[in-house]
């Protein structure tokens, strides 16, 4: 499935007549299946579903279809942490060793380092046992336990090396540590409810329904086959969010135009000094002389 977003502030409205001629060739060759939704000034100005949510049953995608949104899920984990910072339960400079024991270098890693993916933690996705991890039910505790004892890859805060899956697994555990319920219930309380997201969830292996798009992967040039099944609980804090295009648009609006976050937390997301962080990439747009926020 295809789900992407781009937020560039104060730019002109797009030419809506150009969207379908651009998208249709990709749809026709099985390269795009999902939702295109465009908002301007809090109004949806274009919305159309493409492709199939379930090819075996010939179920088309619609505005009610929920998608696993992969790395965009980091935005939800980051918002939960930022709301805990806004409430005074954490700070950007809180060190991991005060929250979770047994992680090498935790006395050097801050919440800010985790949010910016500059922690230096060993990456769970690179472990020899990762396929086994994906095929069993997990919790944030078990995911963090899998990297305990591993040496840091670099000095925390010094650089962005790659997407840090373990950093966001650890943030999910910290959310649990500070709120006490499960990660799923914490995200419901900290993010979904205050942002008005009624069709979203955290897939901890209990989120299965007919409104959820099935995953597919390429086979040959044009063909598709069902993607290998995994336990989505093994992605806690990272790609475990299920949502609709409209719900995700509500989250973006709540972050940047609403009162979901305090100004200092919103400013941290918009800090152009950081290319990567909080589940967003920041990319300059020469045409509009702006820096846009991009996630794919």
């Amino acid at each position: 499935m295809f789900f992407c977003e781009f937020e560039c502030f104060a730019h002109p409205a797009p030419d809506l007549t150009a969207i379908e001629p651009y998208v249709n060739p990709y749809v026709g060759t099985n390269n795009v299946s999902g939702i295109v939704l465009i908002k301007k000034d809090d109004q949806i100005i274009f919305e159309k579903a493409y492709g199939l949510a379930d090819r075996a049953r010939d179920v088309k995608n619609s505005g009610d279809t929920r998608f696993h949104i992969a790395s965009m899920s980091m935005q939800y984990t980051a918002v939960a942490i930022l709301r805990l910072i806004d409430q005074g339960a954490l700070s950007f400079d809180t060190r991991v060793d005060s929250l979770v024991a047994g992680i090498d270098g935790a006395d050097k890693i801050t919440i800010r380092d985790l949010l910016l993916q500059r922690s230096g933690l060993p990456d769970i996705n690179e472990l020899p046992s990762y396929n086994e991890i994906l095929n069993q039910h997990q919790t944030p505790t078990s995911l963090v336990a899998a990297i305990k004892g591993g040496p840091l890859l670099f000095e925390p805060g010094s650089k962005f090396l790659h997407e840090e899956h373990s950093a966001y697994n650890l943030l999910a555990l910290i959310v649990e540590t500070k709120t006490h319920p499960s990660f799923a219930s914490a995200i419901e309380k900290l993010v979904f409810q205050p942002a008005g997201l009624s069709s979203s969830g955290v897939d901890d292996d209990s989120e299965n329904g007919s409104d959820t798009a099935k995953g597919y992967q390429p086979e040959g040039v044009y063909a598709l086959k069902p993607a290998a099944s995994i336990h989505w609980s093994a992605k806690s804090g990272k790609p475990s969010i299920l949502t609709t295009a409209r719900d995700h648009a509500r989250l973006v609006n709540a972050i940047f135009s609403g009162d979901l976050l305090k100004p200092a937390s919103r400013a941290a997301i918009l800090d152009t000094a950081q290319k990567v962080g909080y589940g967003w990439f920041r990319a300059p747009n020469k045409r509009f002389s702006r820096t846009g926020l991009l996630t794919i």
Side-chain angles (χ1 to χ4, degrees):
M1 293 299 166
F2 176 83
F3 203 122
C4 75
E5 62 185 16
F6 178 74
E7 179 76 12
C8 184
F9 302 100
H11 60 80
D15 177 5
L16 300 182
T17 63
I19 295 173
E20 296 224 60
Y22 179 83
V23 173
N24 283 335
Y26 294 96
V27 175
T29 54
N30 289 331
N31 284 293
V32 167
S33 180
I35 310 291
V36 175
L37 185 150
I38 300 173
K39 288 185 70 176
K40 182 174 175 59
D41 299 329
D42 299 334
Q43 298 294 318
I44 296 175
I45 59 174
F46 183 92
E47 181 181 22
K48 186 168 181 178
Y50 298 89
L52 299 173
D54 187 334
R55 301 179 71 84
R57 296 190 298 129
D58 197 34
V59 177
K60 295 181 179 180
N61 284 315
S62 72
D64 295 323
T65 303
R66 300 201 301 171
F67 298 89
H68 286 97
I69 61 170
S71 295
M72 288 167 60
S73 300
M74 290 189 293
Q75 295 170 20
Y76 293 74
T77 304
V79 166
I81 289 289
L82 290 171
R83 282 178 57 79
L84 289 172
I85 290 173
D86 289 347
Q87 294 167 12
L90 294 169
S91 78
F92 285 104
D93 297 318
T94 298
R95 297 194 178 272
V96 168
D97 64 336
S98 68
L99 301 166
V100 179
I103 297 175
D104 282 12
D107 59 324
K108 300 178 181 180
I109 302 171
T110 65
I111 294 294
R112 180 183 286 105
D113 295 331
L114 297 174
L115 289 167
L116 296 176
Q117 302 185 77
R118 290 170 168 257
S119 72
L121 288 170
D123 190 35
I124 191 171
N125 286 35
E126 299 301 320
L127 296 179
S129 60
Y130 187 58
N131 283 338
E132 182 180 346
I133 289 170
L134 289 176
N135 286 303
Q136 298 180 34
H137 178 74
Q138 305 292 338
T139 65
T141 297
S142 68
L143 295 173
V144 172
I147 64 160
K148 284 186 176 180
L152 293 177
L153 301 180
F154 54 83
E155 187 70 16
S158 64
K159 63 181 177 180
F160 170 80
L161 178 63
H162 53 60
E163 192 169 297
E164 290 192 343
H165 307 88
S166 293
Y168 274 74
N169 295 154
L170 181 51
L171 286 172
L173 178 56
I174 291 170
V175 169
E176 285 193 350
T177 300
K178 300 305 292 186
T179 60
H180 300 296
S182 67
F183 177 66
S185 60
I187 294 294
E188 176 72 31
K189 179 179 179 181
L190 289 168
V191 184
F192 297 157
Q193 290 181 4
L197 312 186
S198 60
S199 300
S200 300
V202 175
D203 192 342
D204 56 3
D205 301 334
S206 63
E207 286 278 1
N208 294 301
S210 59
D211 61 346
T212 301
K214 307 296 183 184
Y216 297 90
Q217 62 190 51
E219 185 175 46
V221 179
Y222 294 117
L224 296 173
K225 64 180 180 180
S229 62
I230 65 169
H231 284 259
W232 285 98
S233 61
K235 300 287 191 177
S236 292
K238 194 72 177 47
S240 61
I241 296 294
L242 277 167
T243 193
T244 64
R246 285 191 175 190
D247 253 15
H248 190 72
R250 290 187 186 98
L251 177 72
V252 173
N253 185 69
I255 292 172
F256 299 113
S257 302
D259 57 3
L260 185 63
L261 298 175
K262 289 185 176 180
S265 290
R266 186 182 302 114
I269 296 177
L270 294 170
D271 181 9
T272 57
Q274 305 295 337
K275 183 179 179 181
V276 179
Y278 310 95
W280 298 87
F281 292 99
R282 291 152 193 80
N285 186 306
K286 295 180 180 179
R287 180 180 178 187
F288 300 121
S289 300
R290 292 275 180 172
T291 294
L293 297 179
L294 172 69
T295 301
I296 295 179

